[in-house]
Amino acid sequence: MSLSAVKPTNTVTKIDEIQSVNTSSLDKIQVTGAQQLNGIIPISGAKNCALKLMCAALLTGETVKFQNSPNTLRDMQSQTELLEYLGCTVSREKDLMAINAGGIKDYTAPYDIVRKMRGSILVLGPLLTRFGEARVSLPGGCAIGTRPVDMHIKALEELGAKINLEGGYINAKAPKGGLQGAKIMFPKVSVGATENLMMAATLANGETILSNAAREPEITDLGECLIKMGAKITGLGTDTIRITGVKNLNSAIHSVIPDRIETGTYMVAAAMTGGNIRLENARLEHLTAAAGHLARAGVQVEQEGNDIIVNRDIDKPLKAIDIMTEPHPGFPTDLQAQFMAMLTIANGASLVTETIFENRFMHVPELNRMGANITVQGNSAIVRGVNGLKGAEVMATDLRASVALVLAGLVADGETTINRIYHLERGYEDIIGKLSRCGAKIKKI
Ligand code: UD1
């Protein structure tokens, strides 16, 4: 079946009816720098959680509802497109989403959708465990690295699946009677592999033990939603997750956790501009490594009820700090580019080491075009603080690199024009509105 032939007739709310920023790849963002940011920024639901929760809804024929869902994000639209292609009914209103996977008629996740967003690989485990078969396009590499899915595949084979790779697709079949629980030791910590296997194991026979599992808050949240749906899971938030398979999962209502990467990004915005920002509905407990680094750089960060307050005295320069990305609870790779933007104007030299993805310094040449002094050596970058950045025309290469350039533009002298901003709309809801309301001069051109 070709993708264009599919008309999601069962859709209650169509994607284009959702209030969303419709951006073509030619759109640019212009930031006029050196404005202090002060005010309130509401934090959206976590993209990297919501995308997986949508896949969890494939595990049951009953309706699963999500609150605080970042529905306007482009990645959420791509995931909706995929679920509708498979035969789900997806309805979305403001930040509510309801998914019914009672009418699945296709077990194939086609290349045209998967290539847009790697999060779609997460339909593999749920489809395979519930229907006994799945066909998912290999996601391929992306700008930040090769990003293989070998661990997802090997671990599903350990649950008894027969998998072959053909024509760029993962063809997976469960044994008669369904997947079998097993002890799985991941050779490397992987967020996606942990999530795929956790979902697959919920409907497998017997117990599955995932060792060297990832501990990201998004995985704990996914696990908590699965428990509400009737799954038996213990050990969430530790590196050993135990899942005892059940026959069926049911409907549930679940609220998506706040986006810790969006939160961390706006923390850096306050730090760089020397402002005072209240981040509404944000959790510092999910950002201990990042907050610790900000404190060492001279930024005040504290939780006040459901909000985080970030404050930096404009008269005290930021201090240089060293950063190394690590799996949670270490410093997140998804905040590396933003922190590097901040360190370009810190007092002294900082060492930034990227250990998760092999090609995640594409923001460096762009920041250097704005007057930064950064040298890359292997998987480390030496950032020598400069007195100020200068506005320039720059190119966004991936989601987090794009936002790092917006942050740099906020403090640069003059105008910064950021090209290819469609990356930003994959992961930041209403970024222009949220920053403008705090005093930033930022617009789409
Ligand atoms: C998720 C996040 C992404 C974040 C990353 C690391 C989503 C949609 N994306 O991506 O934003 O940057 O976690 O926190 O949630 N690896 C293998 N084989 C595999 C799987 C992974 O070698 O089968 C490697 C990867 O190439 C990478 C490392 O393991 O070097 C970690 O990747 P992983 O945690 O799986 O990242 P994602 O789940 O793809």
Side-chain angles (χ1 to χ4, degrees), residues 47-48 51-52 118-119 144 146-152 188-193 195 216 260 333-334 355-358 360 400:
K47 167 181 89 81
N48 284 353
L51 291 173
K52 324 304 172 56
R118 295 183 50 87
I144 62 174
T146 51
R147 304 187 76 180
V149 288
D150 55 318
M151 292 198 288
H152 300 233
K188 191 173 176 182
V189 178
S190 160
V191 175
E195 292 165 333
E216 269 65 4
R260 66 193 165 100
T333 174
D334 284 352
T355 72
I356 311 288
F357 294 112
E358 70 272 19
R360 208 168 195 180
R400 310 302 173 187

Side-chain angles (χ1 to χ4, degrees), residues 157-221:
E157 284 174 338
E158 288 176 51
L159 296 190
K162 287 270 173 287
I163 298 185
N164 67 62
L165 305 179
E166 217 179 280
Y169 277 81
I170 304 165
N171 296 309
K173 270 207 154 62
K176 259 208 171 101
L179 295 174
Q180 291 296 326
K183 287 187 180 156
I184 290 162
M185 164 64 97
F186 292 113
K188 191 173 176 182
V189 178
S190 160
V191 175
T194 302
E195 292 165 333
N196 233 341
L197 268 291
M198 185 165 75
M199 289 193 278
T202 57
L203 296 178
N205 299 301
E207 191 185 42
T208 299
I209 303 175
L210 305 177
S211 302
N212 200 25
R215 293 181 279 165
E216 269 65 4
E218 293 77 19
I219 296 176
T220 302
D221 199 47

Side-chain angles (χ1 to χ4, degrees), residues 59-255:
L59 289 162
T60 173
E62 298 184 11
T63 301
V64 185
K65 294 183 181 164
F66 304 115
Q67 299 158 326
N68 198 35
S69 177
N71 286 344
T72 64
L73 294 179
R74 193 171 283 244
D75 276 6
M76 294 294 286
Q77 296 177 2
S78 302
Q79 199 76 314
T80 299
E81 195 187 339
L82 176 56
L83 292 197
E84 288 177 343
Y85 177 87
L86 296 170
C88 296
T89 302
V90 183
S91 67
R92 313 190 293 176
E93 207 192 322
K94 293 191 180 152
D95 65 350
L96 295 179
M97 174 172 286
I99 301 173
N100 184 289
I104 297 277
K105 40 189 189 306
D106 202 314
Y107 310 136
T108 300
Y111 174 73
D112 272 351
I113 304 180
V114 175
R115 74 183 165 84
K116 289 187 200 158
M117 192 207 26
R118 295 183 50 87
S120 48
I121 185 74
L122 272 297
V123 301
L124 178 61
L127 286 178
L128 180 62
T129 197
R130 180 162 160 227
F131 301 105
E133 62 178 292
R135 191 164 173 268
V136 179
S137 171
L138 280 162
C142 68
I144 62 174
T146 51
R147 304 187 76 180
V149 288
D150 55 318
M151 292 198 288
H152 300 233
I153 293 171
K154 186 162 177 295
L156 287 172
E157 284 174 338
E158 288 176 51
L159 296 190
K162 287 270 173 287
I163 298 185
N164 67 62
L165 305 179
E166 217 179 280
Y169 277 81
I170 304 165
N171 296 309
K173 270 207 154 62
K176 259 208 171 101
L179 295 174
Q180 291 296 326
K183 287 187 180 156
I184 290 162
M185 164 64 97
F186 292 113
K188 191 173 176 182
V189 178
S190 160
V191 175
T194 302
E195 292 165 333
N196 233 341
L197 268 291
M198 185 165 75
M199 289 193 278
T202 57
L203 296 178
N205 299 301
E207 191 185 42
T208 299
I209 303 175
L210 305 177
S211 302
N212 200 25
R215 293 181 279 165
E216 269 65 4
E218 293 77 19
I219 296 176
T220 302
D221 199 47
L222 171 64
E224 282 169 2
C225 177
L226 291 167
I227 291 169
K228 285 183 195 161
M229 291 167 69
K232 291 194 174 150
I233 305 175
T234 59
L236 291 169
T238 75
D239 64 2
T240 307
I241 301 179
R242 289 168 193 266
I243 307 114
T244 305
V246 295
K247 285 273 169 269
N248 294 299
L249 294 180
N250 323 302
S251 64
I253 300 180
H254 185 77
S255 184

